[in-house]
Amino acid sequence: MSHTSSQPAPATFAPSGPLTGTVRVPGDKSISHRSLMLSALAVGESRVTGLLEGEDVMSTAAAMRAMGAVIIPPDGGGLSPDAGIGGGHAGQGGAGPDRLWTIHGVGVGGLLQPQTALDMGNSGTSTRLLMGLVASHAITATFIGDASLSKRPMGRVIDPLSLMGATFSPAPGGRLPLTMSGIVPAVPLSYRLPVASAQVKSAILLAGLNTPGITEVIEPVPTRDHSERMLRGFGADLSVEVEADGTRIIRLMGEAELKPQTIDVPGDPSSAAFPVVAALITPGSEVRVTNVGMNPTRAGIFNVLVAMGADLTFENEREVGGEPVADIVARHSVLTGIDVPPEVAPSMIDEYPIFFVAAAMAQGVTHAHGLDELRVKESDRLAIMAGGLARLGVHLDEREDAISITGSGGEPLAGGNGEVMIHAELDHRIAMSFAIAGLNTRGGLTIDDMSPVATSFPTFQAMLRDLAG
Ligand code: S3P
């Protein structure tokens, strides 16, 4: 399942003129994971279109199959719970909005003991959310992952799930490989999130589905609310109270019964950010990205870019699958440096790498604060972005949880004949961010390995080729 099993795929990115055209980005990764998990827990047949057929979501599909769900890809694949889905590059050829996935769930409380370790590949979301599901089932599961995932902290979910009664044997430092045993009945919990993390929130709520009584998550800083929206959509009894200071209190009544749904997954704003920023910083460009999820808990990047002077228009605003959606038109713009405060971070947490590229091309200085979480993503994104941009001649100041970037004022960045080599560190968003930067260097840069891009955006390079026309 993991791209580490494939050969590294180096690629050079160099200026290629204006980017023009219309693109549709793959389905939202967060919503795709949740649609498979909740469908796998509903009694009956759910139908999902627009699913992101990237490696991370396929890790979730394989794990849910290993625990008893029947997940049938658009091109068949048999009804057996462990039907294969095409190995390490599943879905790269067939992504598309009309592809129908069919899921037969086992019912809340019905997950089966997996017979082998659950391979999470590169996916932190799969790992943390599935740990929540296992926590309130009487099963023991072992989670393994690639080198990047095996460095990421799991203590943030181990702590609350332990309070609910689950037991854990992680590798040192609370990391993968990790074996855990769930418990029935689990103990309902009221938990105040110590980190702004939708993954931690979702893990607790998913554990709460099969826990008698009310499971409560107190969220001082709002994070993406796809779990809440979708749990409600599947018929769970879930309420959200917002206090005067913005704190959200989410209450879920267990033991829940989920009803099968038909879900259309909107395009991923985190993926849309790449063609949008590419158009903004590449002279002469105009790009339309259709069907982009505009959930306010995810749209921070677009608001910040507009505040920097970006020529973005949001058209055809509508609702898809219980989520706001729009088409975004991005035109080359003169961007001006900005101060991005910490409270914005959760709504653009995955977009900072490409945002730093936009800042590197702006006029003046951009400051961004509250970035400690960037250090524990698929890589230490603050360090890797700062290091790579510095090698492209960008003046910046990296601090523990902040960065200041002095933009080039629209001048191309350094780099030349592809001889600047960027190491993507198994991080899809680092690879894609430097690919876009490469289009705005003097002579190009080389990325050591583009294969991680298959985790979230398998069609990324094809999209760039189309836009460069
Ligand atoms: C995600 C939440 C975010 C994000 C990740 C996906 C989710 O992580 O970075 O890519 O689907 O819940 P945190 O909640 O840990 O910040």
Side-chain angles (χ1 to χ4, degrees):
M1 188 56 50
S2 159
H3 54 260
T4 50
S5 55
S6 54
Q7 290 297 315
T12 295
F13 295 87
S16 60
L19 303 171
T20 53
T22 297
V23 293
R24 185 177 170 114
V25 291
D28 188 282
K29 182 153 72 71
S30 295
I31 297 174
S32 294
H33 283 299
R34 288 155 173 83
S35 68
L36 290 182
M37 290 180 196
L38 295 191
S39 296
L41 290 175
V43 180
E45 179 180 297
S46 291
R47 298 156 75 83
V48 181
T49 49
L51 190 84
L52 167 62
E53 297 184 15
E55 289 176 355
D56 279 13
V57 176
M58 295 304 115
S59 295
T60 289
M64 296 315 295
R65 282 192 175 108
M67 292 191 284
V70 175
I71 300 180
I72 306 167
D75 33 20
L79 282 166
S80 97
D82 58 353
I85 39 176
H89 294 282
Q92 281 192 61
D98 302 325
R99 290 169 60 79
L100 172 67
W101 287 70
T102 310
I103 299 107
H104 297 264
V106 294
V108 170
L111 292 179
L112 304 178
Q113 170 71 46
Q115 296 307 311
T116 52
L118 303 175
D119 186 350
M120 302 285 93
N122 190 251
S123 179
T125 309
S126 307
T127 310
R128 294 187 178 124
L129 271 56
L130 291 175
M131 284 169 69
L133 279 185
V134 170
S136 58
H137 281 76
I139 57 183
T140 295
T142 296
F143 292 88
I144 57 173
D146 73 4
S148 152
L149 183 59
S150 303
K151 286 189 207 142
R152 299 182 66 186
M154 297 299 150
R156 55 184 58 200
V157 278
I158 294 175
D159 291 349
L161 298 177
S162 299
L163 293 171
M164 296 180 83
T167 51
F168 295 86
S169 321
R175 295 174 209 279
L176 301 194
L178 170 156
T179 299
M180 68 175 288
S181 296
I183 188 165
V184 177
V187 183
L189 179 69
S190 173
Y191 193 74
R192 192 179 173 86
L193 293 179
V195 279
S197 167
Q199 293 181 350
V200 178
K201 168 176 67 177
S202 302
I204 298 167
L205 293 174
L206 291 176
L209 280 174
N210 195 40
T211 301
I214 296 175
T215 294
E216 185 176 87
V217 182
I218 301 159
E219 191 179 49
V221 184
T223 64
R224 66 190 65 193
D225 64 355
H226 307 302
S227 295
E228 296 93 304
R229 286 174 188 248
M230 202 181 286
L231 280 164
R232 273 216 193 101
F234 272 80
D237 180 355
L238 179 141
S239 66
V240 181
E241 185 187 327
V242 184
E243 298 195 318
D245 66 354
T247 299
R248 296 169 81 246
I249 305 174
I250 304 136
R251 296 188 183 92
L252 173 76
M253 176 63 86
E255 298 148 303
E257 205 174 294
L258 302 185
K259 294 180 205 65
Q261 299 298 311
T262 297
I263 300 170
D264 190 5
V265 179
D268 198 325
S270 300
S271 297
F274 294 104
V276 163
V277 169
L280 292 176
I281 63 175
T282 308
S285 298
E286 176 168 337
V287 170
R288 174 183 293 266
V289 190
T290 59
N291 194 47
V292 183
M294 295 297 294
N295 181 316
T297 62
R298 298 286 300 283
I301 179 71
F302 305 122
N303 300 333
V304 168
L305 289 169
V306 166
M308 293 173 85
D311 183 352
L312 294 184
T313 50
F314 303 91
E315 299 178 1
N316 198 10
E317 290 175 294
R318 59 204 186 273
E319 192 155 295
V320 172
E323 297 274 347
V325 161
D327 300 340
I328 304 179
V329 181
R331 297 179 190 84
H332 175 248
S333 304
V334 178
L335 301 176
T336 305
I338 194 171
D339 202 340
V340 186
E343 58 270 21
V344 174
S347 69
M348 57 178 282
I349 193 69
D350 291 337
E351 289 67 75
Y352 280 102
I354 188 63
F355 172 66
F356 295 157
V357 173
M361 294 291 293
Q363 288 179 340
V365 184
T366 291
H367 304 281
H369 317 265
L371 305 181
D372 36 333
E373 279 295 300
L374 288 193
R375 298 207 180 270
V376 291
K377 293 295 179 189
E378 286 83 330
S379 68
D380 177 343
R381 288 182 173 162
L382 199 46
I384 307 290
M385 286 306 301
L389 287 173
R391 289 175 53 220
L392 295 175
V394 178
H395 294 283
L396 49 83
D397 177 23
E398 176 198 348
R399 296 180 298 284
E400 191 46 39
D401 69 344
I403 193 166
S404 301
I405 297 173
T406 303
S408 70
E411 288 302 311
L413 307 176
N417 304 325
E419 80 251 17
V420 175
M421 173 68 85
I422 301 288
H423 293 274
E425 308 283 347
L426 293 181
D427 188 328
H428 52 136
R429 299 197 202 284
I430 297 287
M432 291 187 279
S433 298
F434 280 108
I436 303 292
L439 304 182
N440 286 279
T441 51
R442 265 184 224 109
L445 55 76
T446 298
I447 297 173
D448 67 330
D449 186 10
M450 287 302 284
S451 67
V453 162
T455 62
S456 69
F457 200 159
T459 51
F460 174 78
Q461 279 172 270
M463 175 200 72
L464 275 193
R465 279 193 295 273
D466 283 353
L467 290 176

